[in-house]
Amino acid sequence: MRILVMGGTWFLGKQVVKQALARGWDVSTFNRGRSGRDVQGAEVFHGDRTVCEDLARLAASGPWDAVVDTSSSEMPPRDVLHAVRALRESSRRWVHVSTVSVYDGWPHHPLTEASSVLECPPDADETFGYTGPDGSPTEYGFQKAGAESAVTEAFGDQSVLLRPGVILGPEEYVGRLPWWLNRTAKGGRFLAPAPHSRRIQPVDVRDVASFALDQAAAATSGPFNVTHPEGITFRDFLEACLSTTQGAGRPVWADPDFLVQQDVKQWTELPLWRTHEGAWAVDPGHAVKAGLRCRPVADTVADTWAWLQSDGRPVHHPRWAEHGIDPDKEAKILAVLL
């Protein structure tokens, strides 16, 4: 099996490369060489996927049995379209990492792969779409929906669309789980979003990588929701963080309406917290039937802390700074809850 990984130097892309090499596959990577380090053992091609000449040189190095694209999250659909068209003749399949944000019902309603998707043309530029007044739909969701259209236009029934929600694990660059780990390790009273029984569905980066490779070698096609089938309650999640870090913190559970009144930003200031009904109601049953296996979220928590304690440093990304509530703001809110 010979595969091409678009990206391949950090977080999900790096895991895809490492696991493919462990399977004995012949792995090529294509990236700009600016973020992270190339994985030893992979055949490395450096270039810019938005440059036609670079794509043409890459295509000439094929063929590949499959492409796994982990690097298009911040690209407009037209750039994805250029890439899939350039590589169509040199690649048999395309596994595309998308997002649950492509659904026009997310995060308000429970979702399956049959749920309607936002409409965006495959050749749209970065100006297409909008973000609704309540934060949904998002411009990002429109752009990713257009990218999916680009992939399916070029690869048809040889295209696989992976739609994860939140991906956590070692080398995370967004900073959601690292923030909770550091906060619980700090100790003292800390703000926690009620209800504590609310289940969340974060999926481990290593499990997403494994499923992506399984699909690269399979004969399946179409979309798969890649979320944790069992999930974990927020209470168990925070208890796992406390147990793992041996922190002496104590969660103070706050009603969602109260947090909103205190202008606590959902999804970022208290990472993974969102009040919308469908935020954590994304059905992964189709993916589970196709072989998705997810380790317990508590294991992801423990392994991420081990990585941080071993001087784990993610690739620098501006989204890291978006996550976590300011300590002074948290202290003022906790004082109200006394």
Side-chain angles (χ1 to χ4, degrees):
M1 184 81 176
R2 187 180 189 223
I3 68 166
L4 168 65
V5 181
M6 303 292 277
T9 60
W10 49 304
F11 201 43
L12 178 56
K14 184 176 180 180
Q15 276 295 327
V16 170
V17 174
K18 290 172 65 176
Q19 291 191 31
L21 290 170
R23 295 184 184 201
W25 293 6
D26 185 353
V27 183
S28 304
T29 62
F30 180 71
N31 57 70
R32 295 177 298 177
R34 298 178 184 176
S35 301
R37 296 180 179 178
D38 294 308
V39 178
Q40 186 174 3
E43 180 182 24
V44 177
F45 298 99
H46 285 158
D48 190 327
R49 59 182 292 168
T50 66
V51 176
C52 293
E53 292 79 8
D54 290 356
L55 287 173
R57 284 194 295 270
L58 176 64
S61 300
W64 293 278
D65 297 300
V67 175
V68 180
D69 187 1
T70 67
S71 69
S72 64
S73 63
E74 298 177 9
M75 292 184 173
R78 65 178 181 187
D79 287 344
V80 176
L81 185 62
H82 291 328
V84 293
R85 284 177 173 174
L87 295 171
R88 183 62 187 96
E89 297 303 316
S90 58
S91 310
R92 183 175 62 86
R93 287 172 64 77
W94 192 285
V95 178
H96 184 75
V97 179
S98 186
T99 170
V100 296
S101 295
V102 299
Y103 292 112
D104 61 11
W106 192 85
H108 298 286
H109 306 292
L111 299 167
T112 71
E113 288 86 357
S115 302
S116 59
V117 172
L118 297 168
E119 294 186 4
C120 177
D123 59 350
D125 65 16
E126 63 277 1
T127 65
F128 190 93
Y130 63 92
T131 296
D134 67 344
S136 63
T138 63
E139 182 177 311
Y140 173 72
F142 280 103
Q143 295 278 311
K144 292 295 283 183
E148 286 190 359
S149 296
V151 173
T152 56
E153 177 185 294
F155 280 83
D157 62 4
Q158 289 298 321
S159 58
V160 177
L161 309 173
L162 305 186
R163 295 172 179 167
V166 170
I167 303 176
L168 303 178
E171 301 193 47
E172 181 196 336
Y173 64 91
V174 175
R176 295 183 177 104
L177 178 52
W179 186 83
W180 278 115
L181 287 165
N182 288 324
R183 182 63 190 89
T184 54
K186 181 180 177 181
R189 299 164 72 243
F190 62 90
L191 205 56
H196 54 65
S197 59
R198 178 81 183 272
R199 300 192 77 84
I200 59 177
Q201 297 177 283
V203 63
D204 192 288
V205 62
R206 295 162 292 186
D207 298 329
V208 179
S210 179
F211 185 66
L213 291 173
D214 289 346
Q215 295 311 302
T220 51
S221 64
F224 292 92
N225 292 333
V226 186
T227 56
H228 203 293
E230 290 87 29
I232 189 172
T233 66
F234 224 107
R235 175 176 57 190
D236 289 346
F237 170 71
L238 293 183
E239 287 182 353
C241 290
L242 286 164
S243 175
T244 294
T245 63
Q246 298 184 345
R250 181 171 67 85
V252 178
W253 296 96
D255 183 81
D257 290 339
F258 172 78
L259 292 174
V260 171
Q261 291 169 6
Q262 298 299 313
D263 195 31
V264 177
K265 295 182 178 63
Q266 299 186 44
W267 213 237
T268 53
E269 286 194 308
L270 291 181
L272 307 179
W273 167 60
R274 199 157 190 170
T275 59
H276 302 81
E277 178 185 358
W280 297 110
V282 181
D283 182 6
H286 184 45
V288 170
K289 289 180 181 178
L292 174 66
R293 297 293 179 268
C294 293
R295 69 198 69 204
V297 177
D299 290 355
T300 303
V301 170
D303 292 346
T304 302
W305 181 244
W307 164 66
L308 288 170
Q309 292 303 102
S310 63
D311 198 29
R313 297 181 182 181
V315 171
H316 176 73
H317 196 280
R319 292 185 67 188
W320 186 280
E322 296 176 0
H323 291 86
I325 190 169
D326 178 81
D328 290 338
K329 181 175 181 178
E330 182 187 34
K332 290 177 181 178
I333 296 173
L334 287 170
V336 177
L337 292 170
L338 281 175

